[in-house]
Amino acid sequence: MKGIAFYGKGGIGKSTTISNVIAALSVNGKKILQIGCDPKHDSARLLLGGFTQMTVLEQLNTIGTVSLDTVMLTGYNHVKCIESGGPEPGVGCAGRGIIQTLQLLKDQGLDTQQFDYVFFDVLGDVVCGGFAVPMRDGYADEVYIVSSGEIASIYAANNIAKGLQRFTSTNGKLGGIIGNLRGINNERQILEMFAKKIGTTIVAFIPHNDIIPQAELASKTIIEFAPNTELAHIYSKIANYIEYHSNPVIPTPLSDMDLEEFIQEFCYGAKKIKILQQPQTCVCNNLQQITAQNVDDCKNSITNRAIQVSVPKEKPPLYGCSLTGAYNVISQINDAIALMYSPQGCAYINYCSHQSTLPDLNTPYISNLLCTNMQETDVIFGGTKHLDEILTDLQKRFPTQPIFLITACPVGLIGDDINSLTAKLNTNKQQIIHVPTDGVIGGDFYLGMLTACKLVAEKFIDKTVRPTDDGINIIGEQNLSTTANPNFKEVNKILTALNIKINCRYIRQTNIEEIKNFKKAKINLPLSNDQMVHDLSNFLDQHFGTETLQIPLPIGFEQTVEFTRTIARKFNKEALAEKLITEAQVTYEKDKKQLEPFFAGKKALINSNGANIDWLQLALQDIGVKVTTISTFNIFTSDGSPLSKSGIKHSEAKLMEDAIRLNDPDFILSARYLTTANIPCDFFPTLPVYGFNSGLDYAKKLYFKLKIPFIEGWRYDE
Amino acid sequence: MMNNSLTPHRPDSLSGAIAAFEGIQEACTLLNGPIGCKFYTAYMANILAPHPKHESDECFSNFYFGQTRLPCTYIDEQDFIYGSEPKVTQALKHVDLKQHSLIGIINHSGTSIIGDDLTQIIKNANIKTPTVAIDSTGFTGTYASGFQNATIKILDKLLNNKNKQKIPQTVNIIGSTIFHYNWENDIAEIKRTLKLLGIQTLSAICAGESIDNIKKAGQAELNLILNEEYGDKIANYLEKEHNIPCIDLNLQAPYGISASETWFKAITEFFKIPNEIIKTKARQVRKKCYHALAQTSSYTNNLRGTPFTIFGDTSQVYALTTFFYEYLGLLPVTIGIKEIGTKNYEALKNYLTHNLPNTHLLINPDQYEITDYLNKTKPTLLFGSSIEKNISLTLQKIPHFIPTSFPYHEKIILTNRPITGFNGTLTLIEDIINAIK
């Protein structure tokens, strides 16, 4: 069996050519299978005598399974024909459809070895991985490009050659170019020259001929319709070439610059532009690589459009994805439904992550997450029809609850028009809100949170609500952190002592009513200080006239004092604040006195990860510890160099050794686990629980930890 | 089977494919996807199938992002547009240095759409470690299908010689994964009983097994399937490609005394060896259970007719339901099916139609449906996973929860308490009696 694929620009005449070549081969008694890889599914029309065929993907979409008996039809001269089919124009992913078709045919036991030839008729250009599948190993042994001398066709042919070069690992695959002439000037010469440039040959020229439309009208190939014509002879010649004379090569496609030169010279007949003989690469703006003899030539090159744009510079990794970030927000609106338009796995990892990281929730709860459980057919054909059915059912099931539709990566890739659908389904009683996250395409976890927080605000915060005097909104709680609830409790203690009511936790364990009344409070209190909270507070302040306090997080005594006083000043509760601080001071001093006898005069070496650890340093200093802090690592900017067993990189071990030698510490505190044989070490929390006593509470635990063996027995059993 | 439910708490085929590779001790799974897709799965793999090969020093190096296993290519929008080849190549070369015995590279849902040719990328990367590529696991394919398809690809790679001589009285165990509740104890229990019979287990395929043992799988005389959903396709493959027959899939999975006895007897019949050991073992377990159950029944009347609800895969649910109903006299009020095995599903439906027509049978229910049915039927006992347990905590009448299926986040399991086979029967009866007495 020999696999043959025909590629070429859309509308260039691939299907006509391939059908005629197949017909010619079949006349010679060859057993042939033709697989049309085009959503238009018109590839086999001339062999079958018209459109009669159910496509593979149509059957998958309507019946759910594929049977070879119904998708493989017999046409002219016993040629077997299969059409992949695909989505309607503008929806879904046709490339994915081709991948799926070829896999389904394999799964259904299609035995290609029973044929002498399997032909693949592939739509247009190699625009994505799906369209490239037939040219990969295991499918086509030879690829023929159908092209005219028109510029667009030459561009497409060069692109196909590029794809082919990419997928050719050992033997060449490009069988040649079939010139399907359109009657432009010097067309044969243009194609011959192009073929030579990319290292191949012209198999044949097919002249423009009125018999072709006549045969197409009759739904027949030229071989059948007009077997004794010159045209039929040409198709037979191509068939003969494929059968006996083919000599596939690895193509040498033209660079963008060379192609431009070729077009200028041969297609436009214009004067040859300046071409740089031995290009070297320079980098401009980190985004474009420009081929030039030297940097000064860059500008000239740009004006001559001889630009080779490379892949943009690699971006830093995105932690989490925006889908998860958005769900992290919507999960906290108790009376909303979070519907993930995603594969089931996206919902599963989110559902389980919440289940396993929120054990400290006081009240057990039913997760509000549901999932469309996106199917392969949704990806290929577009999923809006399926989504419409799901949303309509959900509206019946949850008639008053807002439904937030959060989208995953595949949705962003297939480009479903969700906004039109939600607009159609929205009613006065119920809103369906599209949260356009598209998985990682919409950014990282924090961007997803921000997107969702902004959207919820725009949709639900009632701008007409007037503020009351003693309310405050809490923003930026870290919902996936196990310290979120303990932190809230500590802050709530302070607010309660100041007689300040929490109006809305934006967004954690809240509901639509509280969100609507967000403006009852004019002050927002941020409980974390990352960029997301900064952006959110700016947004809320600008759009809803609130004021977000610029305030340190209440970690440790000093910061909590400042935290308390700043809030109190805003609400004229200074006296209550001082009373609270005095009480906290008493407790702090009492704890300090208990700890001082043990810690005073001791030397601590802190190995931090670069985070703010004032709470720890100040508390240790308060109990008389002499503190030295170094930062040997940062978890998120690791360069990947190997780590030693002690937990730090070899390249950083020297720094640690020097710090130990110079400071002679009594104990080491590290933001990640490390051990030493002769100095006690502890792993300190990078996210301690808030409150006046964060530092001393840790020191109390440390008091005991420093008394236990430096290395626990089990660690020797590694 | 098409999944039309809105259930958000079932793992899908991507997790299943990961389970297959992570179920080989010396293998490394490279996920060609975003970072967010790896955290939970890597976390659970480390808890449920820890292995020294996944050394802790890995966690701060490139592609691992703070975890010791499941490196990933941290795909972003740029890679969707330009293709993931540069990152995949870089990651493959990095992982290649770690000297794993096998690398499994798996496209996530997004990268499978753009259609990057993983096989070609692997070739071009020119790495030494044998590598298996899974271009697409499907989108919402089932966990079981993802596991089985990936396992077959792994076997295709590892079992080169189809004509190796069979080793007498040897079996493979198929049909469990490292994410299954109590997988290690259950496999150990089956192996223990087989050993008593003089039967050697060559390999528990892709369920915490070493690569050397998996390479021996082609020499086994018989394949044993613990759970049909996770083993039928693999067994078909091994039968077709390596001429290894499989235990009769019409038999109930080995949960409870009768099903275990029948299952092991079928194995003795295949090998034409005496089954006295099985009879004795069953007798001993029955005797032990009898005393405990008789005592419980004598001072409480709680056992007979106690309503229970069970959630799990069909093979397990079918075997346990019949065991609880027929042997203990418990009453199934609701049965929730997660993964469907064709033979067991049909058998379960027939069984319910003829014996328990009022029992509710739910397929892939979402959390709202589970809540409704738990509220409606008020079971005393709830068998299932952490999902159902957490839902049950919201009920007015909270049932006693006994873990039997996954995902299970509640406790680390170090003790040897299987739920399959003869000793598994004792575990289950112990848990049930302690819950309701």
Side-chain angles (χ1 to χ4, degrees), chain B residues 296-404:
Chain B
T296 306
S297 288
S298 70
Y299 60 79
T300 70
N301 195 21
N302 284 350
L303 205 57
R304 187 175 170 75
T306 295
F308 77 90
T309 289
I310 184 165
F311 291 91
D313 304 326
T314 40
S315 56
Q316 187 196 52
V317 161
Y318 175 44
L320 286 179
T321 299
T322 55
F323 172 58
F324 295 154
Y325 176 64
E326 291 175 9
Y327 183 75
L328 296 176
L330 306 180
L331 184 67
V333 286
T334 307
I335 292 173
I337 298 297
K338 296 180 174 185
E339 219 48 77
I340 290 180
T342 319
K343 288 187 191 301
N344 279 279
Y345 181 59
E346 289 306 318
L348 175 66
K349 274 201 304 186
N350 279 338
Y351 187 82
L352 294 180
T353 306
H354 290 109
N355 299 289
L356 294 156
N358 295 325
T359 300
H360 302 284
L361 181 63
L362 313 175
I363 311 293
N364 262 318
D366 63 46
Q367 64 273 30
Y368 295 103
E369 292 164 323
I370 294 173
T371 311
D372 280 352
Y373 277 91
L374 288 175
N375 265 326
K376 208 185 295 179
T377 55
K378 297 186 172 43
T380 302
L381 292 168
L382 170 65
F383 300 90
S385 70
S386 294
I387 302 291
E388 294 83 28
K389 185 214 162 177
N390 287 342
I391 292 169
S392 75
L393 296 179
T394 65
L395 304 174
Q396 283 206 322
K397 186 194 168 207
I398 300 173
H400 300 287
F401 170 70
I402 296 172
T404 47

Side-chain angles (χ1 to χ4, degrees), chain B residues 14 17-18 21 29-33 104-108 118 134 137:
Chain B
L14 176 64
I18 294 172
F21 289 102
T29 319
L30 172 62
L31 180 65
N32 188 25
I105 175 162
I106 307 176
N107 271 337
H108 102 304
L118 288 180
I134 309 287
T137 65

Side-chain angles (χ1 to χ4, degrees), chain B residues 62-361:
Chain B
N62 288 350
F63 306 105
Y64 285 80
F65 301 100
Q67 293 181 305
T68 56
R69 60 211 280 180
L70 204 56
C72 83
T73 51
Y74 59 98
I75 291 299
D76 59 23
E77 186 177 17
Q78 181 179 305
D79 305 307
F80 285 131
I81 297 167
Y82 290 97
S84 60
E85 181 168 353
K87 278 186 183 168
V88 175
T89 305
Q90 220 184 337
L92 276 172
K93 288 186 170 174
H94 182 80
V95 175
D96 190 37
L97 299 174
K98 309 291 174 193
Q99 296 180 330
H100 292 278
S101 302
L102 182 73
I103 298 171
I105 175 162
I106 307 176
N107 271 337
H108 102 304
S109 58
T111 42
S112 68
I113 291 177
I114 61 172
D116 279 345
D117 186 356
L118 288 180
T119 309
Q120 190 64 40
I121 295 173
I122 293 165
K123 271 188 200 167
N124 294 345
N126 199 21
I127 56 171
K128 288 179 187 150
T129 317
T131 304
V132 174
I134 309 287
D135 287 298
S136 174
T137 65
F139 291 84
T140 300
T142 64
Y143 173 76
S145 70
F147 173 75
Q148 294 212 62
N149 292 339
T151 300
I152 289 168
K153 281 210 152 194
I154 291 166
L155 293 175
D156 234 11
K157 182 88 180 177
L158 297 182
L159 308 185
N160 303 323
N161 189 348
K162 294 184 178 177
N163 302 316
K164 269 193 177 174
Q165 210 170 7
K166 303 291 179 228
I167 302 171
Q169 287 202 190
T170 56
V171 296
N172 296 312
I173 297 174
I174 315 172
S176 187
T177 77
I178 58 160
F179 294 122
H180 271 71
Y181 170 71
N182 217 6
W183 67 272
E184 203 168 6
N185 283 333
D186 284 349
I187 289 173
E189 167 65 12
I190 300 296
K191 282 184 182 174
R192 229 179 348 255
T193 309
L194 291 170
K195 200 173 174 188
L196 288 176
L197 293 167
I199 297 167
Q200 187 196 350
T201 306
L202 289 187
S203 167
I205 297 175
C206 294
E209 189 57 277
S210 71
I211 199 158
D212 285 344
N213 283 348
I214 295 176
K215 283 178 181 170
K216 292 177 197 158
Q219 293 178 271
E221 286 198 307
L222 178 67
N223 284 322
L224 306 178
I225 297 187
L226 274 188
N227 299 290
E228 178 197 0
E229 303 81 1
Y230 304 90
D232 56 351
K233 275 191 192 172
I234 300 169
N236 279 343
Y237 166 84
L238 284 170
E239 182 147 22
K240 196 174 153 204
E241 300 293 327
H242 295 273
N243 199 24
I244 307 172
C246 167
I247 192 168
D248 185 0
L249 278 173
N250 291 309
L251 294 174
Q252 279 193 329
Y255 295 94
I257 305 172
S258 295
S260 298
E261 193 174 356
T262 311
W263 199 75
F264 282 110
K265 276 183 181 171
I267 298 168
T268 60
E269 278 164 26
F270 175 86
F271 286 112
K272 297 185 174 53
I273 54 176
N275 61 20
E276 276 314 307
I277 290 169
I278 298 304
K279 285 183 184 167
T280 310
K281 191 81 191 160
R283 216 168 26 242
Q284 285 168 349
V285 172
R286 283 180 200 280
K287 198 173 170 188
K288 209 166 184 181
C289 291
Y290 175 81
H291 288 298
L293 291 166
Q295 206 179 8
T296 306
S297 288
S298 70
Y299 60 79
T300 70
N301 195 21
N302 284 350
L303 205 57
R304 187 175 170 75
T306 295
F308 77 90
T309 289
I310 184 165
F311 291 91
D313 304 326
T314 40
S315 56
Q316 187 196 52
V317 161
Y318 175 44
L320 286 179
T321 299
T322 55
F323 172 58
F324 295 154
Y325 176 64
E326 291 175 9
Y327 183 75
L328 296 176
L330 306 180
L331 184 67
V333 286
T334 307
I335 292 173
I337 298 297
K338 296 180 174 185
E339 219 48 77
I340 290 180
T342 319
K343 288 187 191 301
N344 279 279
Y345 181 59
E346 289 306 318
L348 175 66
K349 274 201 304 186
N350 279 338
Y351 187 82
L352 294 180
T353 306
H354 290 109
N355 299 289
L356 294 156
N358 295 325
T359 300
H360 302 284
L361 181 63

